[in-house]
Amino acid sequence: MTPVLRPSPIAATVDFEVDGVQHGHLRLPYSRDDSAWGSVMVPITVVKRGEGPTALLTGGNHGDEYEGPVALFDLARTLKAEDVHGRVVIVPAMNYPAFRAGTRTSPIDRGNLNRSFPGRPDGTVTEKIADYFQRTLLPLADIVLDFHSGGRTLDFLPYAAAHQLPDKTQEKRCFDAVVAFAAPYSMKMVEIDSVGMYDSAAEEMGKVFVTTELSGGGTSTAFTAGIAKRGVMNVLKHAGIVSGTPETAPTRWLDMPSDDCFSFAEDDGLIEPCIDLGAPVRAGDIIARIHPIGRTGLPPAEYRAKLDGVLAARHFPGLVKMGDCLSVVATMEEAH
């Protein structure tokens, strides 16, 4: 027998069915030491005109990733109802407590929102946010764009991505949206751990889902913010929600065909990058060295590529811990 879930404790101060532009919040009651009847207030914008498809646009799934919030706070300010055919739901900072703290996970409960789906209405703050997206926002959407970058610990080539899916018709619709986004690189994505991901929740509902990795290092740049701003408008045009033709740009297709793409540190120490992002890699090439830092005179550990390709991601901070992801080598396809 399927258990009956409690109603979500989150209340929206916007009406998803009303035409026009609405700026408001998702209000989640949160009693804490400094505010007994306090709330977590997640900013949200709804822009609607008439009937048509719905786009759900999200950033700040991890709180130290900034291209999405930059693009979406800007879009929420500038998008007009007369420019829309259908509905656009904009949540620039999904995990708002993490975003305010500048951390990957929530400072309230250490929750990683992108590993918390389907969530729980009676769970932690992070689980309650996931539950609201799972049961309220995702069902509204036809197309979902969730912005990511490497945060403080990773740096990526700037790419838009979709996953290889069992439903090839759905998969094609996702990759068509990736093409429309027109990032410098486009990725056929494989996750090392997809349990509890927002991506999986959307895909299992049959939604068109696009994500990104737009550089990293816990900041954004004019270049990567520009990619995000152009990409979100391209996706809205591709979906027929905003009039016009997507702005085309050349993209190079990357693939992550197996676990051999990933390298993980088996040592603590000081990382010495030996190959820069975007550089070609041959199987056996040294990608990085990890130098022991407890004393001088000890040899570094060498980490080598397991396949031919291009360096698509790398560890960002100068110090590394055992178990950290050191690098991702992706194979490169012909330009589309």
Side-chain angles (χ1 to χ4, degrees), residues 195-216:
V195 176
M197 291 187 71
Y198 182 49
D199 314 41
S200 301
E203 290 159 354
E204 287 167 3
M205 292 185 190
K207 311 299 183 182
V208 174
F209 185 86
V210 177
T211 188
T212 70
E213 295 289 359
L214 299 177
S215 195

Side-chain angles (χ1 to χ4, degrees), residues 71-228:
L72 295 182
F73 274 111
D74 184 70
L75 182 70
R77 178 181 60 85
T78 58
L79 188 63
K80 297 178 174 59
E82 54 264 35
D83 297 331
V84 168
H85 308 276
R87 180 170 51 188
V88 182
V89 180
I90 306 170
V91 186
M94 290 173 71
N95 194 342
Y96 194 65
F99 174 72
R100 288 296 301 266
T103 55
R104 180 176 177 84
T105 61
S106 173
I108 296 172
D109 55 24
R110 310 318 307 173
N112 180 342
L113 182 57
N114 210 30
R115 299 296 185 276
S116 298
F117 283 82
R120 292 172 50 199
D122 56 353
T124 65
V125 165
T126 302
E127 289 171 331
K128 289 172 181 175
I129 294 172
D131 170 75
Y132 187 83
F133 274 83
Q134 178 85 31
R135 291 198 287 156
T136 301
L137 295 185
L138 281 176
L140 296 177
D142 298 289
I143 185 166
V144 181
L145 171 58
D146 185 40
F147 282 100
H148 285 265
S149 63
R152 291 187 295 178
T153 63
L154 290 170
D155 196 14
F156 287 88
L157 292 178
Y159 65 75
H163 296 99
Q164 299 183 37
L165 300 173
D167 184 333
K168 295 305 174 185
T169 300
Q170 180 188 5
E171 179 186 278
K172 182 180 184 303
R173 292 168 63 215
C174 294
F175 282 120
D176 286 348
V178 169
V179 172
F181 188 99
Y185 294 87
S186 299
M187 177 73 81
K188 295 179 179 178
M189 194 82 166
V190 172
E191 300 289 350
I192 58 176
D193 176 19
S194 63
V195 176
M197 291 187 71
Y198 182 49
D199 314 41
S200 301
E203 290 159 354
E204 287 167 3
M205 292 185 190
K207 311 299 183 182
V208 174
F209 185 86
V210 177
T211 188
T212 70
E213 295 289 359
L214 299 177
S215 195
T219 188
S220 63
T221 65
F223 177 61
T224 55
I227 294 169

